[in-house]
Amino acid sequence: MAKIIVVTSGKGGVGKTTTSAAFATGLALRGHQTVVIDFDVGLRNLDLVMGCERRVVYDFVNVINGEGNLNQALIKDKRVESLFILPASQTRDKEALSMKGVARVLEALKKRFEYIICDSPAGIEHGAIMAMYFSDEALIVTNPEVSSVRDSDRIIGMLSSKTRRAVQNMSPVKEHLLITRYIPKRVNSGEMLSVDDVKEILAIPLLGVIPESQSVLQASNAGVPVTLDKNSDAGQSYLDVVARFLGEEPPSREKKGFFTRLFGN
């Protein structure tokens, strides 16, 4: 059965789009039919991170409005066989995402894909609500900073009250915590919250910790998901996140300090 997974946070700039691209690519690398959707109508960054911006002809809103079909709008990744991208519109308003239209597109995608990754805009406005409403699971992305964690706590409240599962009294959205841009030295000096601090505040299961890495910016600028960079600590950490999500133990890697203590690898 297909799963709809929203990648969300309260605060902008925490790495949602990077995570959406990396996580979707990691699932596809494992052979799972995966599509990642950009819900950030009007801004549209996912296609840049995925390196397919020049191939966008039809978009998510075109499909909702019947101006194009899914086959026309879906972009097949050139590097990973089972990965597809559904880009957002750059010229429409977020209100163009109607509940019925989004539901119709997702139902069509569920017939073709195992995993549907929804890259949410930041905050709690219309596009973010649309991205989380139909979700089965959620990756809550946060930086180890007070403002980011506080805003993520608000998102957790939305997931428990504003989603289809909450409205229809179904089992709740399964929540996963992902901490990004983690710098152990800044944690030790008191400039950042520790992983235990974040876990205590948000009280949801930790799926992984992604270290601050220059390779993330380099990958984004090159239009390559960081999980395809075999020399990137962040890319390898995202692959570990995918393994844990799939219920597996990540492969042994050379990790130092905090990451060794945290995950035992």
Side-chain angles (χ1 to χ4, degrees):
M1 177 180 282
K3 284 187 178 180
I4 301 173
I5 303 159
V6 64
V7 179
T8 183
S9 75
K11 192 173 184 291
V14 300
K16 284 185 304 300
T17 298
T18 294
T19 295
S20 296
F23 187 69
T25 302
L27 288 169
L29 285 169
R30 302 293 296 273
H32 298 286
Q33 290 292 321
T34 306
V35 60
V36 55
I37 309 173
D38 191 347
F39 273 81
D40 203 355
V41 176
L43 292 179
R44 201 179 85 184
N45 289 315
L46 180 64
D47 55 304
L48 291 171
V49 174
M50 299 293 290
C52 62
E53 69 276 9
R54 295 181 182 178
R55 299 168 61 196
V56 176
V57 179
Y58 291 93
D59 57 52
F60 192 12
V61 174
N62 289 142
V63 178
I64 288 175
N65 292 341
E67 299 160 349
N69 60 45
L70 267 178
N71 284 333
Q72 292 174 299
L74 285 171
I75 300 172
K76 189 177 188 302
D77 190 86
K78 292 181 177 180
R79 298 153 299 206
V80 184
E81 180 66 26
S82 52
L83 179 62
F84 288 77
I85 302 96
L86 182 56
S89 171
Q90 218 169 11
T91 59
R92 309 291 182 95
D93 187 85
K94 289 179 175 62
E95 299 301 321
L97 297 175
S98 66
M99 189 75 74
K100 288 184 178 179
V102 171
R104 188 175 64 251
V105 173
L106 290 176
E107 284 303 313
L109 290 171
K110 285 167 73 173
K111 296 175 183 177
R112 298 178 56 175
F113 295 96
E114 296 175 72
Y115 292 103
I116 301 167
I117 313 302
C118 302
D119 181 24
S120 172
I124 55 174
E125 44 74 46
H126 183 74
I129 296 296
M130 286 293 99
M132 74 170 63
Y133 183 80
F134 297 96
S135 61
D136 301 306
E137 304 195 29
L139 301 188
I140 294 103
V141 183
T142 188
N143 295 157
E145 300 169 353
V146 172
S147 61
S148 180
V149 173
R150 180 191 61 194
D151 289 348
S152 292
D153 205 18
R154 178 75 185 278
I155 291 297
I156 292 170
M158 301 291 286
L159 287 165
S160 65
S161 61
K162 293 289 188 180
T163 61
R164 178 180 60 174
R165 286 180 169 271
V167 171
Q168 297 182 1
N169 201 29
M170 300 165 64
S171 59
V173 173
K174 187 175 182 180
E175 298 163 339
H176 308 273
L177 174 61
L178 186 65
I179 302 174
T180 56
R181 307 192 69 177
Y182 190 87
I183 306 174
K185 287 183 179 179
R186 294 189 63 186
V187 173
N188 293 336
S189 66
E191 298 175 61
M192 282 185 167
L193 297 173
S194 70
V195 170
D196 286 340
D197 290 336
V198 178
K199 288 170 61 180
E200 182 177 354
I201 295 167
L202 297 182
I204 60 174
L206 178 69
L207 187 62
V209 179
I210 310 300
E212 177 70 65
S213 174
Q214 186 65 28
S215 64
V216 172
L217 178 60
Q218 293 168 348
S220 295
N221 288 339
V224 179
V226 71
T227 33
L228 295 178
D229 183 353
K230 296 180 179 179
N231 297 316
S232 167
D233 286 347
Q236 297 303 305
S237 295
Y238 273 117
L239 291 177
D240 289 350
V241 164
V242 170
R244 291 188 197 97
F245 178 82
L246 294 174
E248 304 170 1
E249 284 297 321
S252 297
R253 304 188 195 280
E254 288 293 327
K255 292 187 177 182
K256 297 181 180 179
F258 166 76
F259 294 101
T260 301
R261 296 195 301 274
L262 183 62
F263 296 118
N265 289 329

